[in-house]
Amino acid sequence: MLAYMPDVSAVAFWPASLPTSRLVLRPIEPPDVPEIARLWTHPEVRRYLGGPVAEQTVREREGACVGAPGAFSVVRQEDGVVVGLVAVEPGGRGGRTEVSYQFLPEYWAAATPVSQWPPPSTGPRRRCLRKCRAWSR
């Protein structure tokens, strides 16, 4: 994931933070690394991503992820707790920018904007979202 990120000089928008009313996406900071490493090694988080990452690879990623362009910690506004990771990777599949995300399992049940949209009354959109999720597996 992080090995394909462009050089800092190639990214005009970096560093950037994206705040919402409940969360902030911000560059990974040193105190975030243990929680980010949990994402790479947790079997359920990695279920459709090839399984847990090898220990050596985790150590390499830990050293490279802090401040890496396009890698964002997802942090709760209310208490500063890291709940996940978002990566924006230019030149992904088919040359298009790819956005990926991972959240720690203890926060899966929390109502996130993605889990609340589309509203249940919009049947066709809901089916489309399910189909899109299936493609990512």
Side-chain angles (χ1 to χ4, degrees), residues 40 53-62:
W40 296 326
V53 175
E55 187 176 324
Q56 177 63 33
T57 304
V58 170
R59 283 196 298 273
E60 291 168 6
R61 286 183 179 183
E62 286 174 335

Side-chain angles (χ1 to χ4, degrees), residues 22-23 76 83 103-116:
R22 295 182 306 140
L23 301 169
R76 286 194 310 208
V83 299
F103 289 94
L104 293 165
E106 56 266 34
Y107 303 105
W108 289 355
T112 62
V114 172
S115 68
Q116 294 173 347

Side-chain angles (χ1 to χ4, degrees), residues 67-86:
F72 296 89
S73 289
V74 180
V75 181
R76 286 194 310 208
Q77 289 272 22
E78 67 188 57
D79 56 10
V81 171
V82 174
V83 299
L85 169 70
V86 170

